[in-house]
Amino acid sequence: GDHRDLHSFPTRRSSDLKNGRKAETANGSVLNEKPMAGATCKSIFSKRKRGIITMKKKLAVMALAAATLSMMAMPVYADDLVTVGYAQVGHESDWRTANTQNYQDVFSEDAGYSLDLVDCDNDNAAQLEAVRTFISKDMDYIVIAPIQSAGWDTVLQEAQDAGIPVIIADREIEASDDLYDAWVGTNTTNEGITAGNWLAEYLGDKDANILVIEGSVGASAALGRTEGFNQVAGEHDNWKILDSQSGDFTQAGGQEVMESFIKSYEGQFNVVICQNDNEAYGAMDAMDAAGITYGVDGDVTLISFDATHDGLQYTLDGKINCDVECNPIQAEVVKGVIEKMQAGEEFEKTTLVEDQAFVAPGIESEYATTMTDEVLAGRAY
Ligand code: AHR
């Protein structure tokens, strides 16, 4: 893929947004198409009623009745909540669960947001439909964590035609950056490079016979990690990638792929790379069942990605040798971009969420932090 240079941060003004729609929203009230909750509806009604009844005129009471009737038939202009639609990938991993929770915490009603988060269950067509639904609901902002990197041009054009700002989050897309307003996420190619650099440092001159359990097919998180790792692997004549298959970023997928790898390559591999923690858990189960040892005291060096709490626990326990972080805590950054758009201020076109890597106790690395109880205690997700 054609990866953008994530280190250049050009800024855009919100006046670049189509139709000046955000300015309108900032000055006026937001149309909430959902029916209003009974309590809120009642309180507006009684406020009106009190004001008019003081006139003590029969005519006024009749006018009130008419106004009330017509009010009930009209769409309700509710609070000044900013509406945000988030087309979430799914719930395939612990990383994803943490990311969903982070959006729900940050885009709360208390913070002034109405978040419509759609779990697209890793189904590309469902995700396109979710975005189209956000457009038809005239959401103020649309955030997309793209399941697949390809195929976004048409729906992004539709959002742009509707004047709705779009923020691509977490993963990357293969589309002109004119078609969306901002991007917030991690550099997964760098994550793959970090895994490769760490492995080179760890193995020294030893041969590597490598099996890769990739993430979901067509996802930039999988494409980037593969590309980054392969760059480093290409510099080592004594590294061989025996096989590389998708485990779909799930534990069940990781286990299934590892079981089939064991059938084909038992006794031939000494490195397993799982492109997320959940796949690593599945691969560990498969290796346990086959009596294959892994981790710092085992025959197989195990590399994972994400560095979630459980992944880091396994790293602290020496079962995972190296866990390269992908940070799911991104909603605050997205909110910061939206706030600037709302205020008509300059905002970052591209914001990179920083990652680091962690290694098991006993390993010292220039590329990674050695795990301790304190590091684990600091990891909430
Ligand atoms: O896009 C981020 C990736 O998606 C995470 O590595 C993985 O766990 C998730 O499913």
Side-chain angles (χ1 to χ4, degrees), residues 253-301:
Q255 181 169 347
E256 201 180 307
V257 172
M258 194 66 228
E259 283 166 357
S260 93
F261 279 168
I262 290 169
K263 278 192 195 129
S264 308
Y265 306 102
E266 184 148 23
Q268 299 172 43
F269 62 92
N270 64 341
V271 176
V272 171
I273 298 176
C274 299
Q275 287 185 349
N276 82 347
D277 283 340
N278 292 82
E279 290 181 339
Y281 310 151
M284 287 190 270
D285 286 345
M287 287 192 278
D288 286 340
I292 296 168
T293 60
Y294 49 85
V296 286
D297 299 322
D299 293 333
V300 173
T301 298

Side-chain angles (χ1 to χ4, degrees), residues 16-61:
D16 294 347
L17 302 177
K18 294 285 175 288
N19 308 342
R21 188 174 178 282
K22 281 304 107 197
E24 254 172 55
T25 313
N27 297 336
S29 56
V30 174
L31 173 58
N32 182 352
E33 294 188 335
K34 291 184 205 92
M36 231 175 152
T40 323
C41 202
K42 244 187 236 151
S43 75
I44 286 183
F45 175 76
S46 49
K47 230 188 275 166
R48 291 276 177 97
K49 192 171 168 182
R50 270 200 308 274
I52 296 172
I53 289 223
T54 51
M55 293 182 212
K56 288 188 178 140
K57 289 202 174 136
K58 202 178 169 191
L59 198 62
V61 175

Side-chain angles (χ1 to χ4, degrees), residues 92-93 95-96 170-171 221 225 249 275-276 278 306 326:
E92 70 284 359
S93 64
W95 188 102
R96 191 61 55 193
D170 163 24
R171 298 178 180 174
R225 287 169 195 163
F249 280 135
Q275 287 185 349
N276 82 347
N278 292 82
D306 281 0
C326 177

Side-chain angles (χ1 to χ4, degrees), residues 352-373:
L352 184 63
V353 177
E354 297 287 347
D355 299 319
Q356 50 175 321
F358 300 91
V359 284
I363 303 174
E364 295 294 330
S365 172
E366 70 169 282
Y367 304 103
T369 302
T370 304
M371 275 307 294
T372 60
D373 290 313

Side-chain angles (χ1 to χ4, degrees), residues 84-93 96-101 103-104 115-131 134 143-145 147:
V84 175
Y86 183 27
Q88 174 62 296
V89 169
H91 50 275
E92 70 284 359
S93 64
R96 191 61 55 193
T97 306
N99 180 257
T100 291
Q101 186 63 53
Y103 272 80
Q104 283 165 346
L115 177 68
D116 191 349
L117 187 148
V118 177
D119 176 335
C120 300
D121 201 14
N122 221 20
D123 176 341
N124 193 46
Q127 190 168 44
L128 292 173
E129 196 186 312
V131 174
F134 294 151
V143 182
I144 304 168
I147 294 169

